Coordinates of all heavy atoms in Angstrom, one line a residue:
H132 N 122.5 174.0 44.3 CA 123.4 173.1 45.0 C 124.5 172.5 44.1 O 125.5 172.2 44.6 CB 122.5 171.9 45.3 CG 121.5 172.1 46.4 ND1 121.9 172.4 47.7 CD2 120.2 172.3 46.5 CE1 120.9 172.7 48.4 NE2 119.8 172.6 47.8
D133 N 124.4 172.5 42.8 CA 125.3 172.0 41.8 C 126.3 173.0 41.4 O 127.2 172.8 40.6 CB 124.8 171.2 40.7 CG 123.9 172.1 39.8 OD1 123.6 173.3 40.3 OD2 123.5 171.7 38.7
W134 N 126.1 174.3 41.9 CA 126.8 175.4 41.4 C 128.4 175.2 41.8 O 129.3 175.5 41.0 CB 126.4 176.8 41.8 CG 127.2 177.9 41.7 CD1 127.5 178.5 40.4 CD2 127.9 178.7 42.6 NE1 128.4 179.5 40.6 CE2 128.7 179.6 42.0 CE3 128.1 178.6 44.0 CZ2 129.5 180.5 42.5 CZ3 128.8 179.4 44.7 CH2 129.6 180.4 43.9
P135 N 128.6 174.9 43.0 CA 130.1 175.0 43.4 C 131.0 174.1 42.6 O 132.0 174.6 42.1 CB 130.1 174.5 44.9 CG 128.8 174.9 45.4 CD 127.9 174.7 44.3
E136 N 130.7 172.9 42.3 CA 131.5 172.0 41.6 C 131.7 172.5 40.1 O 132.8 172.4 39.6 CB 130.9 170.5 41.6 CG 131.1 169.9 42.9 CD 130.7 168.4 42.8 OE1 130.4 167.9 41.8 OE2 130.8 167.7 43.9
D137 N 130.6 173.0 39.5 CA 130.6 173.4 38.2 C 131.5 174.7 38.1 O 132.4 174.8 37.3 CB 129.3 173.8 37.7 CG 129.2 174.4 36.3 OD1 129.6 173.7 35.3 OD2 128.9 175.6 36.2
Y138 N 131.3 175.6 39.1 CA 132.1 176.9 39.1 C 133.6 176.6 39.3 O 134.5 177.3 38.7 CB 131.6 177.8 40.2 CG 132.0 179.2 40.2 CD1 131.6 180.1 39.2 CD2 132.8 179.8 41.3 CE1 132.1 181.4 39.2 CE2 133.2 181.1 41.2 CZ 132.9 182.0 40.1 OH 133.2 183.2 40.0
I139 N 133.9 175.7 40.3 CA 135.3 175.4 40.5 C 135.9 174.7 39.4 O 137.1 175.2 39.0 CB 135.4 174.6 41.9 CG1 134.9 175.4 43.1 CG2 136.9 174.0 42.1 CD1 134.8 174.6 44.3
N140 N 135.2 173.7 39.0 CA 136.0 172.8 37.9 C 135.9 173.4 36.5 O 136.8 173.1 35.6 CB 135.3 171.4 38.0 CG 135.5 170.7 39.1 OD1 136.7 170.8 39.8 ND2 134.5 170.0 39.8
N141 N 134.9 174.1 36.2 CA 134.8 174.7 34.8 C 135.1 176.2 34.7 O 135.1 176.7 33.4 CB 133.4 174.4 34.3 CG 133.0 173.0 34.2 OD1 133.9 172.2 33.8 ND2 131.9 172.5 34.6
Y142 N 135.4 176.8 35.8 CA 135.8 178.2 35.7 C 137.1 178.5 36.5 O 138.1 178.9 35.9 CB 134.7 179.2 36.1 CG 135.1 180.6 36.1 CD1 135.4 181.1 34.9 CD2 135.0 181.4 37.3 CE1 135.8 182.6 34.9 CE2 135.4 182.7 37.3 CZ 135.8 183.3 36.0 OH 136.1 184.6 36.0
L143 N 137.0 178.3 37.8 CA 138.2 178.7 38.6 C 139.5 178.0 38.2 O 140.5 178.6 38.0 CB 137.8 178.5 40.0 CG 136.8 179.4 40.6 CD1 136.6 179.0 42.1 CD2 137.0 180.8 40.3
I144 N 139.4 176.6 38.1 CA 140.5 175.8 37.7 C 141.1 176.1 36.3 O 142.2 176.4 36.1 CB 140.4 174.4 38.0 CG1 140.1 174.1 39.5 CG2 141.5 173.5 37.5 CD1 139.7 172.7 39.8
P145 N 140.2 176.0 35.3 CA 140.6 176.2 33.9 C 141.3 177.7 33.8 O 142.2 177.8 32.9 CB 139.5 176.0 33.0 CG 138.6 175.2 33.8 CD 138.8 175.6 35.3
Y146 N 140.7 178.7 34.4 CA 141.1 180.0 34.1 C 142.1 180.5 35.4 O 142.4 181.7 35.5 CB 139.9 181.0 34.1 CG 139.1 180.8 32.9 CD1 138.0 179.9 32.8 CD2 139.5 181.6 31.7 CE1 137.3 179.8 31.7 CE2 138.7 181.4 30.5 CZ 137.8 180.5 30.5 OH 136.9 180.2 29.4
N147 N 142.6 179.6 36.0 CA 143.6 179.8 37.1 C 143.1 180.8 38.0 O 144.0 181.8 38.4 CB 144.9 180.2 36.4 CG 146.2 180.2 37.3 OD1 146.2 179.3 38.2 ND2 147.1 181.0 37.1
R148 N 142.0 180.7 38.6 CA 141.5 181.7 39.6 C 141.2 181.2 40.9 O 140.6 181.8 41.8 CB 140.2 182.4 38.9 CG 140.4 183.2 37.7 CD 139.1 183.9 37.2 NE 138.6 184.9 38.2 CZ 139.1 186.1 38.3 NH1 140.0 186.5 37.5 NH2 138.5 186.9 39.1
T149 N 141.9 180.0 41.2 CA 141.6 179.5 42.6 C 142.3 180.3 43.7 O 142.0 180.2 44.8 CB 142.1 178.0 42.6 OG1 143.5 178.0 42.1 CG2 141.3 177.1 41.8
A150 N 143.2 181.1 43.3 CA 143.9 182.1 44.3 C 142.9 183.3 44.5 O 143.1 184.0 45.5 CB 145.2 182.5 43.8
N151 N 142.1 183.6 43.6 CA 141.1 184.7 43.7 C 140.0 184.5 44.6 O 139.7 185.3 45.5 CB 140.6 185.1 42.3 CG 141.6 185.7 41.4 OD1 142.6 184.9 41.1 ND2 141.3 186.8 40.9
I152 N 139.6 183.2 44.6 CA 138.5 182.9 45.7 C 138.7 181.4 45.9 O 138.9 180.5 45.1 CB 137.1 183.0 45.0 CG1 136.0 182.7 46.1 CG2 136.9 182.3 43.7 CD1 134.7 183.0 45.7
R153 N 138.8 181.1 47.2 CA 139.1 179.7 47.7 C 137.8 178.8 47.5 O 136.8 179.3 47.7 CB 139.6 179.7 49.1 CG 141.0 179.7 49.3 CD 141.7 180.9 49.0 NE 141.5 181.9 50.0 CZ 141.7 183.3 49.8 NH1 142.2 183.7 48.6 NH2 141.4 184.2 50.7
P154 N 138.0 177.6 47.2 CA 136.9 176.7 47.1 C 136.0 176.6 48.4 O 134.9 176.5 48.3 CB 137.6 175.2 46.9 CG 138.9 175.6 46.2 CD 139.4 176.9 46.8
E155 N 136.6 176.8 49.6 CA 135.9 176.8 50.8 C 134.9 178.0 50.8 O 133.8 177.9 51.3 CB 136.8 177.0 52.1 CG 137.8 175.9 52.2 CD 139.1 176.0 51.4 OE1 139.1 176.8 50.5 OE2 140.1 175.2 51.9
A156 N 135.2 179.1 50.2 CA 134.4 180.3 50.1 C 133.3 180.0 49.1 O 132.2 180.4 49.3 CB 135.3 181.5 49.7
V157 N 133.6 179.3 48.0 CA 132.6 179.0 47.0 C 131.4 178.1 47.7 O 130.3 178.3 47.5 CB 133.2 178.3 45.8 CG1 132.0 177.8 44.8 CG2 134.2 179.2 45.1
W158 N 131.9 177.1 48.3 CA 130.9 176.1 49.1 C 130.2 176.9 50.2 O 129.0 176.7 50.3 CB 131.7 175.0 49.6 CG 132.1 173.9 48.7 CD1 133.3 173.8 48.0 CD2 131.1 173.0 48.0 NE1 133.3 172.7 47.1 CE2 132.0 172.2 47.1 CE3 129.8 172.7 48.1 CZ2 131.4 171.2 46.3 CZ3 129.3 171.6 47.3 CH2 130.1 171.1 46.4
G159 N 130.9 177.8 50.8 CA 130.2 178.6 51.9 C 129.2 179.5 51.3 O 128.1 179.8 51.8
I160 N 129.4 180.2 50.1 CA 128.5 181.1 49.5 C 127.3 180.3 49.1 O 126.1 180.8 49.3 CB 129.2 181.8 48.3 CG1 130.2 182.8 48.8 CG2 128.2 182.4 47.4 CD1 131.1 183.4 47.7
Q161 N 127.4 179.2 48.6 CA 126.3 178.3 48.2 C 125.5 177.8 49.3 O 124.2 178.0 49.4 CB 126.8 177.0 47.3 CG 125.6 176.3 46.7 CD 125.0 175.3 47.7 OE1 125.6 174.7 48.6 NE2 123.7 175.3 47.7
R162 N 126.2 177.3 50.3 CA 125.6 176.9 51.5 C 124.7 177.9 52.3 O 123.6 177.5 52.8 CB 126.6 176.2 52.4 CG 126.0 175.5 53.7 CD 127.2 175.0 54.6 NE 128.1 176.0 55.1 CZ 129.3 176.1 54.6 NH1 129.9 175.2 53.8 NH2 130.2 177.0 55.1
E163 N 125.2 179.1 52.3 CA 124.6 180.1 53.1 C 123.8 181.1 52.4 O 123.2 182.1 52.9 CB 125.6 180.8 53.9 CG 126.4 179.9 54.9 CD 127.4 180.6 55.8 OE1 127.1 181.8 56.2 OE2 128.4 180.1 55.9
S164 N 123.7 181.0 51.0 CA 123.0 182.0 50.2 C 121.5 181.7 50.4 O 121.0 180.6 50.4 CB 123.4 181.9 48.7 OG 123.1 180.6 48.1

Side-chain angles (χ1 to χ4, degrees):
H132 290 290
D133 58 353
W134 170 72
E136 288 190 1
D137 177 68
Y138 192 69
I139 293 167
N140 294 320
N141 296 320
Y142 178 60
L143 296 184
I144 293 174
Y146 289 92
N147 196 30
R148 292 183 65 82
T149 52
N151 292 56
I152 181 170
R153 263 72 73 192
E155 297 89 341
V157 175
W158 284 102
I160 289 168
Q161 187 281 319
R162 183 178 61 246
E163 300 182 38
S164 65

